[in-house]
């Protein structure tokens, strides 16, 4: 199987305020006319599946697996989420960990879990100066030294600033924004160490390239997803709920949230833009968010991702559950929730994949194309993140001046 | 320390479109006039910290710990999130697991992790008929039998339907809606088994009761939070981002999302209502959602929860990070992000707690009062979830008729 997309339930035949044939044609025309510009603006991610040196990634991963049994990825945001997505989807039991928070309890947990002597730390930062990553990595070096271990031997850096870290091996961070790096060495190295067949991931991404090179939403799944996101957003469905029905795709929903939030949440001349990503998990969040989706404000579009589990159990009994399996129940709940939302006029999209390397690679590639295409339609720059710079400066100022300063409390209890 | 709330950055002195003194007085008047009605409508949760039999919970937990080393909670939504929140915040290393999804890979993971012979399964369902819970529990029974173990001996049920499960011990599910059950036996039993001092949790909740019994937002932190949520929601800030700066409070953000989404997402005569909860995690999601919060549409209110980590590491170096610790960096990043959002006119609230039993108990109690108060202000029923019934019926119909049926595809690729 490959990735399939079903947009039926965004159409006016199915939901109130749905999309008409005419509007689909209009947005298809816009996508076609933006097609070349999108490719011209590409900062490099479109060709990553062709450019990436998979053999080198696999050779490095093999090398590291000869010397180490655990890998800890020290990186945050785009320097963590691609790898986490691949590992959780495809090798969830691997001894691969992600330290992606300044909260010291995360590093403490990971250090408790691994044997330092058998662990390689992959420090990932394009600039080489991300505060959380630098701080965590410095602590890691001290912990290694304290155990009599050589920090250089236990460290690999993936960075665009080769002088930033004193490590035994430096790998070049590719020239793409962090959130578009999942299919490069940034995402593939931890995955390969975890035992994921990264060649197959990249093959799937190449299938995605072939499909997403087409200029029309009728052939290009990235453009089809972009059209749904954008047109629905324009009519007020600007909260985008990503709801995989798979425990293995929780990290994918986080990756998606970063990709959509950072790429689309922008100021532009004709006003602010953005689709608000909400992460959900089926069937669990049927018991959490569903009530709001059904009866709350009509500002949500929902994307279901169906991914059959790799294991299953039969459910015994002599009632309505008889003959079902747990995974069959998961599937039925997805369809029932989808139908129920459609009947309540909540537009929704259904994606299907198998939890195999090729499909996950295609899924990630397709969404990167989708978000770039939404950005073209909306007239925003998909690749910067200017809004976060001021906070970084404030943090640095506070650290240099010795600690927290705030404006004081006007109203507290 | 106890829980403290800082509402300064929702005020018009700090942010554009902020709240004026006059509006605060108005909403305070409404809260005062709703005060008795809120208490009359209470389905029982307001007095849980006084009603709950902590000794019985502790005695049962001790009993179970004599016979078992691991506990698996089989329940979903309100039958899982309270316990998960307490365990993750206060005893994150405990051998306590939550099976809260029909996805069989979750059950498979948990069964791989534990020794069945040393494991007690706590099946939690108020109705006794929640599909995911019933299905998972039936599979568990078969797995136990297959190992030559007695399912009854390995099972406790927490349910309002004592005939639903064939177990050695039945505990009454209290007469409160699931999402308001965190401080009852439902949330406390797994926490007590995990080693959490549940007496102290309940003591903290009782402090919350004392403060939240006051009729004014100037004294009652639940009402203060409700006023912020409601007034900001009314002026279009209806996406509520819950952003704890603590790995230990990720489950709390999920608990909050359920509480807000299910309690407030309702149809009412004067139109649909709801605040859309978005879960975030600091510092991690500064590298994911922050760009959208700063530059995207002005429809978000943000709640920061500051909770210092219980462990810490010094960060070596001779640059701006010198002298900082990881937890100091976490704290500085919180303040810097808060300041940056305020300067960008994104209204925000700051909550502070310590990661101790009393404060977490008070936090949960205070938010239950907050959501009930928002419901009163908005004119919605905080306690039902009528919107999810239709999906449940559809799922049952599909299972009875042998599988998935959908309307077919109008537009797919």
């Amino acid at each position: 199987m490959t990735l399939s997309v079903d947009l039926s339930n965004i159409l006016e035949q199915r939901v109130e305020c749905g999309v008409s044939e005419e509007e689909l044609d209009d947005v298809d025309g816009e996508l076609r006319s933006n097609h070349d510009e999108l490719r011209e603006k590409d900062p490099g991610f479109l060709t990553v599946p062709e450019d990436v040196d998979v053999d080198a990634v696999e050779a490095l991963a093999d090398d590291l697996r000869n010397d180490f049994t655990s890998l800890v990825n020290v990186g945050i945001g785009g320097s963590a989420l691609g790898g986490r997505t691949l590992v959780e989807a495809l090798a969830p039991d691997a001894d691969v960990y992600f330290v992606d928070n300044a909260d010291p309890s995360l590093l403490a947990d990971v250090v408790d879990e691994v044997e330092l002597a058998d662990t390689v730390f992959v420090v990932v930062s394009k600039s080489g100066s991300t505060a959380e990553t630098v701080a965590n990595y410095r602590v890691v070096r001290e912990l290694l030294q304290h155990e009599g271990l050589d920090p250089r031997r236990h460290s690999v850096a993936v960075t665009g600033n080769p002088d930033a870290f004193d490590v035994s091996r430096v790998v070049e961070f590719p020239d793409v924004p962090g959130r578009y790096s999942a299919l490069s060495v940034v995402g593939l190295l931890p995955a390969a160490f975890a035992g994921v067949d990264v060649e197959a991931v990249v093959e799937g991404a190449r299938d995605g390239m072939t499909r997403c090179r087409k200029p029309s939403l009728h052939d290009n799944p990235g453009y089809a997803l972009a059209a749904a996101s954008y047109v629905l957003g324009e009519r007020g469905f600007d909260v985008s709920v990503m709801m995989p029905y798979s425990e293995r795709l929780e990290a994918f929903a986080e990756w998606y949230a970063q990709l959509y939030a950072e790429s689309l949440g922008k100021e532009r001349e004709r006003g602010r833009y953005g689709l608000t990503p909400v992460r959900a998990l089926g069937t669990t969040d049927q018991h959490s968010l569903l009530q709001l989706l059904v009866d709350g404000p009509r500002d949500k579009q929902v994307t279901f991702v169906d991914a059959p589990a790799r294991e299953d159990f039969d459910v015994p009994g002599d009632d309505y559950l008889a003959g079902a399996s747990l995974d069959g129940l998961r599937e039925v709940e997805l369809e029932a929730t989808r139908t129920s939302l459609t009947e309540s006029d909540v537009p929704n999209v259904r994606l299907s994949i198998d939890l195999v390397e090729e499909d996950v690679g295609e899924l990630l590639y397709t969404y990167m194309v989708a978000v770039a295409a939404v950005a073209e339609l909306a007239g925003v720059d998909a690749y910067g993140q200017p809004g976060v710079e001021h906070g970084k400066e404030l943090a640095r100022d506070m650290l240099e001046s010795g600690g927290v300063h705030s404006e004081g409390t006007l109203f507290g209890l």
Side-chain angles (χ1 to χ4, degrees), chain A:
Chain A
M1 194 176 117
T2 64
L3 173 145
S4 69
V5 181
D6 186 339
L7 297 180
S8 305
N9 295 346
I10 72 165
L11 300 176
E12 62 178 4
Q13 294 99 308
R14 292 276 171 87
V15 295
E16 208 180 346
C17 297
V19 181
S20 67
E21 286 293 329
E22 202 185 343
E23 282 167 305
L24 269 189
D25 287 346
D26 286 350
V27 72
D28 197 40
E30 284 185 72
L31 286 161
R32 285 171 181 276
S33 74
N34 295 339
H35 190 63
D36 291 338
E37 202 161 333
L38 184 153
R39 306 189 95 73
E40 275 158 31
K41 286 184 189 164
D42 167 34
F45 79 88
L46 282 177
T47 53
V48 160
E50 281 173 359
D51 301 338
V52 64
D53 186 344
V54 177
D55 291 343
V57 173
E58 283 184 332
L60 176 54
D62 284 346
D63 223 28
L64 297 176
R65 288 203 290 190
N66 283 335
D67 291 337
F68 305 103
T69 57
S70 304
L71 181 150
V72 177
N73 189 95
V74 182
I76 195 165
S79 298
L81 285 166
R84 260 187 64 205
T85 299
L86 293 170
V87 171
E88 283 194 19
L90 299 164
D93 300 330
D95 285 328
V96 172
Y97 305 88
F98 293 85
V99 174
D100 62 350
N101 198 336
D103 181 349
S105 59
L106 177 58
L107 181 60
D109 285 352
V110 169
V111 167
D112 272 357
E113 196 73 26
V114 300
E115 284 293 331
L116 287 180
D118 300 324
T119 302
V120 61
F121 292 86
V122 179
V123 54
V124 190
S125 168
K126 193 172 179 188
S127 66
S129 62
T130 313
E132 291 93 334
T133 303
V134 169
N136 271 300
Y137 180 62
R138 287 190 194 167
V139 173
V140 163
R141 292 183 70 92
E142 289 233 318
L143 294 172
L144 288 165
Q145 272 162 347
H146 191 260
E147 294 284 307
L149 299 164
D150 174 10
R152 295 187 81 249
R153 183 179 168 270
H154 283 262
S155 303
V156 175
V158 180
T159 180
N161 178 358
D163 301 324
F165 304 104
D166 176 30
V167 297
S168 57
R169 294 181 185 87
V170 176
V171 179
E172 177 79 14
F173 197 114
D175 193 18
V176 295
R179 62 184 173 276
Y180 294 85
S181 69
L183 299 167
S184 76
V185 62
V186 177
L188 296 184
L189 180 58
F193 186 93
V196 172
D197 178 354
V198 295
E199 177 64 44
V201 170
V202 171
E203 259 174 51
R206 283 190 206 125
D207 290 344
M209 277 184 84
T210 306
R211 297 175 81 188
C212 291
R213 203 176 276 138
K214 307 275 175 65
S216 165
L217 62 81
H218 294 284
D219 310 305
N220 178 330
Y223 283 6
L225 292 170
S229 294
Y230 177 72
V231 177
L232 293 170
E234 289 301 288
R235 60 184 51 183
F237 301 107
D238 60 355
V239 174
S240 172
V241 180
M242 174 54 74
M243 193 166 187
Y245 271 61
S246 169
E247 290 277 329
R248 304 293 190 230
L249 294 177
E250 277 201 278
F252 164 70
E254 285 189 55
W255 176 86
Y256 166 84
Q258 188 211 19
L259 184 71
Y260 260 53
E262 280 202 335
S263 300
L264 301 177
K266 300 282 160 71
E267 278 194 276
R268 52 179 186 174
E269 270 180 39
R270 52 189 164 117
R272 298 170 182 283
Y273 186 73
L275 299 171
T276 298
V278 171
R279 295 179 276 134
L281 175 65
T283 64
T284 307
D285 286 328
Q286 292 178 204
H287 301 262
S288 166
L289 297 176
L290 184 58
Q291 169 64 35
L292 175 72
L293 302 181
V294 171
D295 283 340
R298 282 288 168 271
D299 58 359
K300 303 186 183 62
Q301 45 175 295
V302 180
T303 304
F304 295 101
V305 186
D306 182 23
R310 285 178 171 192
E311 49 271 290
D312 200 4
F313 301 97
D314 288 330
V315 178
D318 54 9
D319 56 2
Y320 73 102
L321 290 168
S325 69
L326 275 187
D327 205 54
L329 176 60
R330 180 197 60 76
E331 181 83 28
V332 161
E333 300 259 6
L334 189 164
E335 263 324 301
T337 302
R338 193 165 86 103
T339 302
S340 156
L341 287 185
T342 306
E343 290 178 5
S344 300
D345 296 313
V346 179
N348 60 85
V349 169
R350 185 187 204 274
L351 270 166
S352 305
I353 64 164
D354 283 332
L355 283 173
V356 297
E357 271 79 352
E358 291 83 352
D359 286 12
V360 176
E362 185 177 355
L363 177 69
L364 299 184
Y365 187 85
T366 302
Y367 262 108
M368 289 190 256
V369 172
V371 81
V374 176
E376 280 300 311
L377 291 166
V380 299
D381 170 21
Y383 307 114
Q385 50 283 335
V388 305
E389 295 308 321
H390 183 52
K392 285 186 195 170
E393 283 159 27
L394 287 170
R396 187 181 269 260
D397 288 350
M398 287 187 202
L399 286 163
E400 280 173 345
S401 65
V404 165
H405 39 86
S406 72
E407 276 206 82
T409 300
L410 295 175
F411 175 24
L413 66 166

